[in-house]
Amino acid sequence: MMGLQGGSSRRMLRQALLTVFGVIITTGTAVGQTKYYGRLIGNFQTYVHGVKGTVYLANENTIFIKDFEYDGQGPDAFFWGDISEEPTSNGFIIPLENGTTDEVLRQYNGQNLILTLPDGRSLRDMNSLSVWCRKFAVNFGSIRIPQEDLPSPKSLGPLPTLAHAVRSEDVVVMDSKTLFIMNLYYDGAGPDAFFLVGKGVKPHSQGYKVPDENGSLEKLHGYNGENITLELPGDLTVFDVDWFGLYCIRYEQNFGHVYFPEQANIPANIEDLRMAL
């Protein structure tokens, strides 16, 4: 009985220490707390027909609009991109959420929308987004698109070699859920090694397992200079965790890790955006 009580006390003490140092115990399903739609740029300036909505730059050619409203009464209204900060007739139609450019805007009552710019266009080609009546050249509502610091992938630097010959070139955050690791090496000899992410000042065994490049949660095999892409599990985004690394859970050994920045202007994950529709 004393042994059981001692083990229980040690577990309680360990959990308390992890909590003190900012670590969340992460057993079970990975549930993220941060909904990330991209870089927030603000709300539509409303002029007529009740145009409203909050606009995010999701990636170089995708815009997310949250809670979009429009009364649908304009005779020839479209989502409109323009190189000018104030929309003009020289702009271009941005396809509707179904991909068409032939239909005028219908009524919207607080829907979330994903707008994909036409082929060959990017956010670099526009300084304003508007709801524009082409027939009468009237701006129903618009917002300026800033050109500085557009969302882009961010490097976290290389994995350092701490054990089992782990090393890599840059670990790159491609979007809010996706990591790309360049030229990864690992000898495959760790008995219980996984890709992990977690909270706290350093890696620990209570992190979340990240599936490998094949979607497997089996212990890691060796790598010999491969480039691999990983996706964070469940609802997790990079904003929910502090570090990523290769870690042996059984022996609580860190093979090499990198840290996520607290603030990062990165692309949003498109599948996450679709889940928000």
Side-chain angles (χ1 to χ4, degrees):
M1 180 66 70
M2 289 297 292
L4 290 174
Q5 289 176 339
S8 176
S9 297
R10 284 192 294 272
R11 284 193 296 273
M12 291 175 64
L13 176 60
R14 182 171 180 270
Q15 181 162 340
L17 288 172
L18 289 173
T19 301
V20 167
F21 286 103
V23 175
I24 297 175
I25 304 301
T26 54
T27 57
T29 303
V31 179
Q33 301 298 315
T34 304
K35 299 299 182 184
Y36 182 72
Y37 306 119
R39 179 186 173 188
L40 170 65
I41 60 169
N43 298 316
F44 275 104
Q45 177 68 49
T46 304
Y47 296 115
V48 290
H49 291 296
V51 170
K52 296 179 182 178
T54 304
V55 180
Y56 299 80
L57 307 182
N59 62 34
E60 64 180 6
N61 62 2
T62 307
I63 296 169
F64 184 80
I65 306 177
K66 192 173 188 300
D67 302 327
F68 181 64
E69 297 184 18
Y70 164 59
D71 67 11
Q73 297 303 304
D76 194 33
F78 299 88
F79 288 116
W80 195 257
D82 202 306
I83 195 65
S84 171
E85 292 187 4
E86 295 296 330
T88 70
S89 296
N90 296 322
F92 58 91
I93 295 174
I94 297 174
L96 295 176
E97 63 272 25
N98 62 7
T100 184
T101 58
D102 297 327
E103 301 173 13
V104 299
L105 291 182
R106 60 177 177 83
Q107 182 178 6
Y108 291 86
N109 296 295
Q111 287 94 329
N112 294 341
L113 304 176
I114 299 172
L115 302 182
T116 302
L117 301 187
D119 289 345
R121 299 280 190 177
S122 77
L123 293 175
R124 297 288 183 192
D125 299 314
M126 52 189 292
N127 285 294
S128 64
L129 168 69
S130 65
V131 175
W132 175 260
C133 181
R134 185 175 55 178
K135 182 175 182 179
F136 293 103
V138 175
N139 176 15
F140 295 168
S142 62
I143 186 170
R144 188 178 77 84
I145 305 294
Q147 289 299 308
E148 64 277 3
D149 199 23
L150 294 174
S152 62
K154 296 293 188 292
S155 172
L156 306 180
L159 285 166
T161 303
L162 300 182
H164 288 286
V166 166
R167 69 184 189 276
S168 74
E169 295 181 28
D170 284 2
V171 178
V172 181
V173 180
M174 302 302 294
D175 64 37
S176 54
K177 287 186 69 69
T178 308
L179 303 179
F180 179 69
I181 307 176
M182 301 171 60
N183 202 24
L184 175 63
Y185 287 85
Y186 162 55
D187 66 13
D192 195 32
F194 298 89
F195 295 121
L196 288 190
V197 292
K199 296 286 288 182
V201 296
K202 63 180 181 179
H204 53 83
S205 61
Q206 300 299 316
Y208 291 112
K209 293 179 182 178
V210 177
D212 69 13
E213 70 278 12
N214 298 312
S216 172
L217 284 173
E218 298 294 321
K219 79 178 186 71
L220 292 179
H221 58 81
Y223 292 91
N224 190 33
E226 288 92 340
N227 296 333
I228 65 170
T229 299
L230 307 176
E231 184 164 317
L232 301 192
D235 293 331
L236 284 182
T237 73
V238 298
F239 300 102
D240 296 311
V241 290
D242 296 322
W243 49 263
F244 162 81
L246 279 75
Y247 194 91
C248 180
I249 294 176
R250 183 185 306 171
Y251 292 103
E252 298 190 339
Q253 185 179 15
N254 177 18
F255 296 170
H257 70 281
V258 291
Y259 289 104
F260 295 108
E262 290 186 9
Q263 301 292 330
N265 184 22
I266 58 174
N269 180 268
I270 296 300
E271 289 303 317
D272 269 6
L273 295 186
R274 291 186 179 128
M275 293 292 290
L277 297 181

